[in-house]
Amino acid sequence: MNERATPNGNGSNGAPLLQLRGICRSFGHVRAVHEVDVDLQRNEILGIVGDNGAGKSTLMKIIAGTVSPDSGQILMNGEPVEITTAQDSRRLGIEMIYQDLALFDNLDVAANVFIGREPTRGLPSLLGFLERRRMHREAAALLQRLNIMIGSTRLPVGVLSGGQRQMVAIARAVAFEENNHILLMDEPSAALGATESATVTELIRDIRGDGLSIMIISHRIPEVLDLADRVMVMKRGEHVATLDARSTSVEECVNLIVAGAPAATGQA
Amino acid sequence: MTTTATPPGAPLDSRAQAAARARRLLLGQHVLLLIALILLGTYFTSRLDFFLTSQNVLTILRFSAVTFIVATGFTLVLIGGGLDLSIGSGMAVVGVTSGKLFEAGVPLVLAFVIGVVVGVAIGFVNGFIVTQFRINPLIATLAMLFALLGVAFIITDGRSTQLRDDGFRFARENVGGVPVPVFFLIATAVLSVVLLHTTKAGRHLFAVGGNPDAARQAAMNVDRFRLGMYTVAGLYTGIAGVLLASDLGAIAPNSARNWELYVATAVFLGGASLTGGRGSVVGTFIGVVFVSALDNGLVQMAVRPQIVLIVVGTAMILAVAFDQRPKGGFR
Amino acid sequence: MTAVVPEDPPTETSVWSQRLRDLVFSGKLTWVTLGAVIVAEFVVFSIAAPRFLSTTNLLNTGRATAVLMIVATGATFGLISGALDISGASVMALSGTIGTQIVIAGYPASLAILAAIASGFGAGLVNGFVVVKLRVNPLVATLGMLGIAYGLAFVVDGGAGIAGNLRQTTDAAYGVMKNDLVGIPLPLVFAVLFAAAGWVLLAKTRFGLYTYAVGGNASAGRSVALPVDRLRMMYLVFSGACAATGGWVLSSTLGGSGAASVPGTLILTVITAVILGGVGLMGGTGTMGGTILGVIVLGVLENGMTLAGWPTFYQYVVEGLLLLLAVGLEAVRTGGYR
Ligand SMILES: Nc1ncnc2c1ncn2[C@@H]1O[C@H](COP(=O)(O)OP(=O)(O)OP(=O)(O)O)[C@@H](O)[C@H]1O
Ligand SMILES: [Mg+2]
């Protein structure tokens, strides 16, 4: 396993970092995602907005490999890739913060941050001895760097407050940023107070500078418009429009989300 | 199976509704199990001349009775989102109690009634522990399994004895050519169908088991339902315990060992689920007959009873696997 | 709700409530309780039965409890990972029977032991397949295996075990567990090594950490790219292998065994020990230390009650009550079953 992949890999051919083509996914009679195309450029922040149940999370989970699409294609650097499990996406340098956070309440903060990538010694792989002390040291350093206030990395995540849990999930996603190309964030600041929310915004700006592309789902439209380069609007599983964040007003964006058709807004 | 989607809120013709309900009640999810039962019957009939004789069918039903009665209690508990591992030990306590009483000169009917009352008490204790001490039913009834097994052994001082007086063996009698246990089977089935499908409490039980939190929000007293269902299951344990003791004509504390596997197989075959809210009396009945027929046929084909264990275990796993397929199963 | 932690040092009360929380969450409360129960057992039994405290008797207790310890080690991993494996006793029966029959057939003991333990791997693999591929609840899957392995044991036994009569071998290598090592019964030595290895594996390695992760939140495990299905399979195989090892140790101690040599209630004792030790039914919690204490509680109980002249079946009642007590404690900790 190579510990340090180069962020832009073989991406010299000019194709977008990530392309989704004709992605569909239904749950029974519900068309969660229908014929959706997305392009994500290098170093770009792409916002995704839409009503509850519009299919935003499902789309992200398809990229992260935890939901499999019924049809459609995923390309990275112009090359088709096969993402059927979360292992696949991790190998491709894709990291996701889940809406339900995907934390282990029974494990402590350090274990949650490192889960799946624990430093070990001695025997290889599963039988390796955990370097617990190092995990705690590095997790504490990470929390400090991200300005996260949590008493101890030895606390089980189950006792943390909603906001602290959210911050742990964020810390886990960015802990190994040197390996990552794409960060998927599903409402990362949903449970956060004003201060923490600002910290997350700051953090996102920061890591984008490190050569990371970010997709972010949020219901806070002004924030998304402020943070993202482009904003994609979804409704009932379909891609409605993709807007340039700088030239779009909050009202236009909200209109699109509600009406679900570009024509209704009279957009030029 | 065809289901035409009815627009929600559209009033259904009540006769069509009743017919649909009856069909769902009787067949519905059990079509596959019925087909399997028919295939099994056909196979055994082709190998054994006497398999389908009325004599043998009655034998199968006689053996089905005790299993069916406890299995119905087990089904009720599963529907309500619970679990009861103590049925075997419960039956043992009931059996040795009524056997001892009869031996001591208590009239048969009274010995029977007291046995059943003991069963009800056991069920009540199960329900009480689960609802009042908030102990997971798996553990609560596992502990009861131990405790009751101990009690059965203490009552008998650890010995199995044959009853000298044949008067206790009413389960071996026939009335009008039909074995006595079959009447109990029919009575239990009717009582359970009525309880489960016609009373409000019965129908609410499905909601309680399927989603206890939602049931609480709908102002149902979930604990009362659970206490009730364990008590009814205890009633069935009581009846089955006396019947088994009577069938064996013995006071045997370890008579109901391994019973759980057969009961669980029958119940899961019949469509009940560990996750609560699902199950039916008819399904359990077909499941029990299936297991009994399997047992009867295999043993008569001179297959050793231990191999039946293998077949039953496999059947149960496959039944549950098949049943859970569309719902995604254990994740 | 904001997540701001005050800058100033925490007050006295919050330190104490935090410590209490830590104590409860770390499961140390269980350890203290179990320690107290063991002390109480020693006091009661040494009064009730003077012979109880003799070295010979304590070593005998160890010998008799060794099998329970080995099987409980596997069950601990299974249950923490969220799979209650109830096929243990029949897998033990199968393992012992296979080993015995192979020796009787004239093959070397080493082969017999290997085959015996391999049978547990096989049973675990099948359990794992059923749980992971057919998506059957582990309780149901292992209940099925309970019947299958028990039936297979009888088949291998040729039906000889039905009446409970054991198959005896005179093979010294197969019956090695009858011996002592510097005065200590070999099964006890073996069990201590097993428990220690289990402890290290659970507390110190990735394999152990993932047991908690899979049992605590399997769907989160999938989200963070843990091979959840493969892990679940491994824990069930481990559990089966431990049961088979226990089965062989028992068989070896008896100098050969048949299908009926393992009482079916043994698995209930195993589960009781594990749950007494603080392993939660829902998975994700528990420690090997707790399981070891749980095993000691039950082992001493059995020996003490027998010495004190109480019939075996009283043990069932006490065991049931202990189990209720232990789970009552867990219910207090977690808010209980709703
Ligand atoms: N595992 C699933 N099983 C069944 N239906 C699902 C599943 N996951 C999503 N859905 C359905 O798919 C649709 C889209 O869900 P999704 O979670 O993608 O919405 P969302 O845009 O993220 O909404 P929100 O803003 O509320 O998070 C919804 O109707 C939802 O009910
Ligand atoms: Mg969402």
Side-chain angles (χ1 to χ4, degrees), chain B residues 1-3 19-35 269-271 278 280 282-283 286 323:
Chain B
M1 253 197 325
T2 59
T3 46
R21 230 191 44 230
R23 201 171 49 222
R24 210 170 51 233
L25 204 73
L26 290 173
L27 300 171
Q29 53 192 322
H30 314 307
V31 173
L32 283 168
L33 182 58
L34 263 182
I35 293 173
L269 277 173
R278 275 160 30 83
S280 78
V282 175
I286 305 176
D323 186 49

Short mmCIF file of all heavy atoms in Angstrom, two decimals, chain B residues 1-3 19-35 269-271 278 280 282-283 286 323:
data_model
loop_
_atom_site.label_atom_id
_atom_site.label_comp_id
_atom_site.label_asym_id
_atom_site.label_seq_id
_atom_site.Cartn_x
_atom_site.Cartn_y
_atom_site.Cartn_z
N MET B 1 -48.52 -14.88 -6.81
CA MET B 1 -49.31 -13.92 -6.07
C MET B 1 -49.41 -12.61 -6.83
O MET B 1 -48.42 -12.04 -7.22
CB MET B 1 -48.67 -13.65 -4.71
CG MET B 1 -49.45 -14.29 -3.61
SD MET B 1 -49.06 -13.66 -2.00
CE MET B 1 -47.36 -13.30 -2.04
N THR B 2 -50.61 -12.15 -6.99
CA THR B 2 -50.75 -10.85 -7.62
C THR B 2 -51.37 -9.90 -6.63
O THR B 2 -52.31 -10.24 -5.91
CB THR B 2 -51.65 -10.92 -8.85
OG1 THR B 2 -52.93 -11.41 -8.44
CG2 THR B 2 -51.08 -11.81 -9.92
N THR B 3 -50.80 -8.74 -6.55
CA THR B 3 -51.40 -7.72 -5.70
C THR B 3 -51.62 -6.49 -6.55
O THR B 3 -50.69 -5.96 -7.15
CB THR B 3 -50.48 -7.35 -4.54
OG1 THR B 3 -49.16 -7.18 -5.06
CG2 THR B 3 -50.48 -8.42 -3.48
N ALA B 19 -62.68 -10.93 1.71
CA ALA B 19 -62.18 -12.09 0.95
C ALA B 19 -60.66 -12.02 0.84
O ALA B 19 -59.96 -13.01 1.05
CB ALA B 19 -62.81 -12.12 -0.44
N ALA B 20 -60.18 -10.82 0.56
CA ALA B 20 -58.73 -10.65 0.43
C ALA B 20 -58.05 -10.98 1.74
O ALA B 20 -57.01 -11.62 1.79
CB ALA B 20 -58.41 -9.21 0.01
N ARG B 21 -58.71 -10.52 2.84
CA ARG B 21 -58.12 -10.79 4.13
C ARG B 21 -58.09 -12.27 4.43
O ARG B 21 -57.10 -12.82 4.91
CB ARG B 21 -58.87 -10.04 5.23
CG ARG B 21 -57.86 -9.31 6.04
CD ARG B 21 -58.19 -8.67 7.33
NE ARG B 21 -59.00 -9.34 8.27
CZ ARG B 21 -60.05 -8.77 8.83
NH1 ARG B 21 -60.42 -7.57 8.47
NH2 ARG B 21 -60.72 -9.41 9.75
N ALA B 22 -59.20 -12.92 4.09
CA ALA B 22 -59.27 -14.36 4.35
C ALA B 22 -58.19 -15.08 3.55
O ALA B 22 -57.51 -15.98 4.06
CB ALA B 22 -60.65 -14.89 3.96
N ARG B 23 -58.02 -14.64 2.28
CA ARG B 23 -57.02 -15.31 1.45
C ARG B 23 -55.62 -15.09 2.01
O ARG B 23 -54.83 -16.01 2.13
CB ARG B 23 -57.11 -14.77 0.02
CG ARG B 23 -56.49 -15.72 -1.00
CD ARG B 23 -56.78 -15.27 -2.40
NE ARG B 23 -56.45 -13.86 -2.53
CZ ARG B 23 -57.20 -12.97 -3.18
NH1 ARG B 23 -58.29 -13.33 -3.77
NH2 ARG B 23 -56.84 -11.73 -3.25
N ARG B 24 -55.39 -13.85 2.43
CA ARG B 24 -54.07 -13.55 2.98
C ARG B 24 -53.84 -14.35 4.25
O ARG B 24 -52.78 -14.90 4.50
CB ARG B 24 -53.97 -12.06 3.29
CG ARG B 24 -52.57 -11.52 3.15
CD ARG B 24 -52.54 -10.01 3.23
NE ARG B 24 -53.26 -9.51 4.37
CZ ARG B 24 -54.22 -8.59 4.31
NH1 ARG B 24 -54.58 -8.08 3.16
NH2 ARG B 24 -54.82 -8.17 5.39
N LEU B 25 -54.93 -14.44 5.02
CA LEU B 25 -54.86 -15.16 6.28
C LEU B 25 -54.53 -16.62 6.05
O LEU B 25 -53.70 -17.22 6.73
CB LEU B 25 -56.22 -15.03 6.96
CG LEU B 25 -56.24 -15.18 8.47
CD1 LEU B 25 -55.64 -13.95 9.07
CD2 LEU B 25 -57.68 -15.35 8.92
N LEU B 26 -55.21 -17.19 5.06
CA LEU B 26 -55.10 -18.64 4.88
C LEU B 26 -53.87 -19.01 4.06
O LEU B 26 -53.17 -19.95 4.39
CB LEU B 26 -56.35 -19.18 4.19
CG LEU B 26 -57.58 -19.14 5.10
CD1 LEU B 26 -58.83 -19.54 4.33
CD2 LEU B 26 -57.38 -20.07 6.29
N LEU B 27 -53.65 -18.29 3.00
CA LEU B 27 -52.55 -18.68 2.12
C LEU B 27 -51.45 -17.65 2.14
O LEU B 27 -50.44 -17.81 2.81
CB LEU B 27 -53.07 -18.87 0.70
CG LEU B 27 -54.16 -19.94 0.61
CD1 LEU B 27 -54.80 -19.94 -0.76
CD2 LEU B 27 -53.54 -21.29 0.90
N GLY B 28 -51.71 -16.56 1.45
CA GLY B 28 -50.76 -15.47 1.43
C GLY B 28 -49.34 -15.95 1.29
O GLY B 28 -48.96 -16.59 0.32
N GLN B 29 -48.56 -15.69 2.35
CA GLN B 29 -47.15 -16.01 2.31
C GLN B 29 -46.88 -17.51 2.41
O GLN B 29 -45.75 -17.94 2.31
CB GLN B 29 -46.48 -15.29 3.46
CG GLN B 29 -47.19 -15.61 4.76
CD GLN B 29 -46.74 -14.69 5.88
OE1 GLN B 29 -45.60 -14.35 5.96
NE2 GLN B 29 -47.67 -14.31 6.73
N HIS B 30 -47.94 -18.31 2.65
CA HIS B 30 -47.69 -19.72 2.93
C HIS B 30 -47.76 -20.61 1.71
O HIS B 30 -47.62 -21.82 1.82
CB HIS B 30 -48.65 -20.23 3.98
CG HIS B 30 -48.77 -19.29 5.13
ND1 HIS B 30 -47.67 -18.84 5.81
CD2 HIS B 30 -49.83 -18.68 5.69
CE1 HIS B 30 -48.06 -18.00 6.76
NE2 HIS B 30 -49.37 -17.88 6.68
N VAL B 31 -48.01 -20.00 0.55
CA VAL B 31 -48.17 -20.81 -0.65
C VAL B 31 -46.95 -21.70 -0.86
O VAL B 31 -47.07 -22.91 -1.07
CB VAL B 31 -48.38 -19.91 -1.88
CG1 VAL B 31 -48.37 -20.74 -3.14
CG2 VAL B 31 -49.69 -19.16 -1.76
N LEU B 32 -45.77 -21.09 -0.73
CA LEU B 32 -44.55 -21.85 -0.97
C LEU B 32 -44.39 -23.00 0.01
O LEU B 32 -44.04 -24.11 -0.35
CB LEU B 32 -43.34 -20.92 -0.87
CG LEU B 32 -43.15 -20.04 -2.09
CD1 LEU B 32 -42.13 -18.96 -1.82
CD2 LEU B 32 -42.71 -20.90 -3.27
N LEU B 33 -44.70 -22.69 1.27
CA LEU B 33 -44.59 -23.71 2.30
C LEU B 33 -45.56 -24.86 2.02
O LEU B 33 -45.21 -26.04 2.16
CB LEU B 33 -44.86 -23.09 3.66
CG LEU B 33 -44.73 -24.01 4.86
CD1 LEU B 33 -43.35 -24.61 4.93
CD2 LEU B 33 -45.05 -23.25 6.14
N LEU B 34 -46.79 -24.49 1.58
CA LEU B 34 -47.77 -25.52 1.25
C LEU B 34 -47.27 -26.40 0.11
O LEU B 34 -47.39 -27.63 0.16
CB LEU B 34 -49.09 -24.86 0.85
CG LEU B 34 -50.12 -24.74 1.97
CD1 LEU B 34 -51.39 -24.12 1.43
CD2 LEU B 34 -50.41 -26.11 2.56
N ILE B 35 -46.72 -25.75 -0.91
CA ILE B 35 -46.19 -26.52 -2.04
C ILE B 35 -45.11 -27.47 -1.55
O ILE B 35 -45.08 -28.66 -1.90
CB ILE B 35 -45.64 -25.57 -3.12
CG1 ILE B 35 -46.79 -24.77 -3.74
CG2 ILE B 35 -44.90 -26.35 -4.20
CD1 ILE B 35 -46.34 -23.69 -4.70
N LEU B 269 -40.43 -21.40 9.60
CA LEU B 269 -40.99 -21.87 8.33
C LEU B 269 -42.33 -21.19 8.08
O LEU B 269 -42.65 -20.82 6.95
CB LEU B 269 -41.21 -23.39 8.37
CG LEU B 269 -40.02 -24.29 8.05
CD1 LEU B 269 -40.40 -25.74 8.31
CD2 LEU B 269 -39.60 -24.13 6.60
N GLY B 270 -43.09 -21.01 9.15
CA GLY B 270 -44.42 -20.43 9.02
C GLY B 270 -44.43 -18.93 8.83
O GLY B 270 -45.49 -18.32 8.80
N GLY B 271 -43.25 -18.31 8.75
CA GLY B 271 -43.20 -16.91 8.35
C GLY B 271 -43.05 -15.91 9.49
O GLY B 271 -43.05 -14.71 9.25
N ARG B 278 -44.37 -10.00 12.71
CA ARG B 278 -44.77 -10.91 11.66
C ARG B 278 -45.00 -12.31 12.20
O ARG B 278 -44.34 -12.75 13.12
CB ARG B 278 -43.70 -10.96 10.57
CG ARG B 278 -43.85 -9.85 9.53
CD ARG B 278 -42.61 -9.58 8.75
NE ARG B 278 -41.75 -10.73 8.55
CZ ARG B 278 -41.90 -11.65 7.60
NH1 ARG B 278 -42.90 -11.56 6.77
NH2 ARG B 278 -41.05 -12.63 7.49
N SER B 280 -48.10 -15.90 11.79
CA SER B 280 -49.52 -16.22 11.78
C SER B 280 -49.74 -17.63 12.30
O SER B 280 -48.85 -18.47 12.25
CB SER B 280 -50.09 -16.09 10.37
OG SER B 280 -49.74 -17.23 9.61
N VAL B 282 -51.87 -19.82 11.11
CA VAL B 282 -51.96 -20.77 10.01
C VAL B 282 -50.56 -21.16 9.53
O VAL B 282 -50.25 -22.34 9.32
CB VAL B 282 -52.77 -20.17 8.85
CG1 VAL B 282 -52.77 -21.12 7.66
CG2 VAL B 282 -54.18 -19.89 9.30
N GLY B 283 -49.69 -20.16 9.40
CA GLY B 283 -48.32 -20.44 8.97
C GLY B 283 -47.63 -21.38 9.94
O GLY B 283 -46.99 -22.35 9.54
N ILE B 286 -48.94 -24.92 9.48
CA ILE B 286 -48.35 -25.62 8.34
C ILE B 286 -46.90 -25.98 8.64
O ILE B 286 -46.43 -27.07 8.32
CB ILE B 286 -48.46 -24.77 7.05
CG1 ILE B 286 -49.91 -24.38 6.80
CG2 ILE B 286 -47.94 -25.54 5.84
CD1 ILE B 286 -50.09 -23.45 5.62
N ASP B 323 -37.02 -16.44 3.34
CA ASP B 323 -38.04 -15.52 3.79
C ASP B 323 -37.50 -14.09 3.87
O ASP B 323 -38.20 -13.12 3.65
CB ASP B 323 -38.53 -15.98 5.16
CG ASP B 323 -39.71 -15.16 5.63
OD1 ASP B 323 -40.63 -15.00 4.83
OD2 ASP B 323 -39.67 -14.67 6.76
#
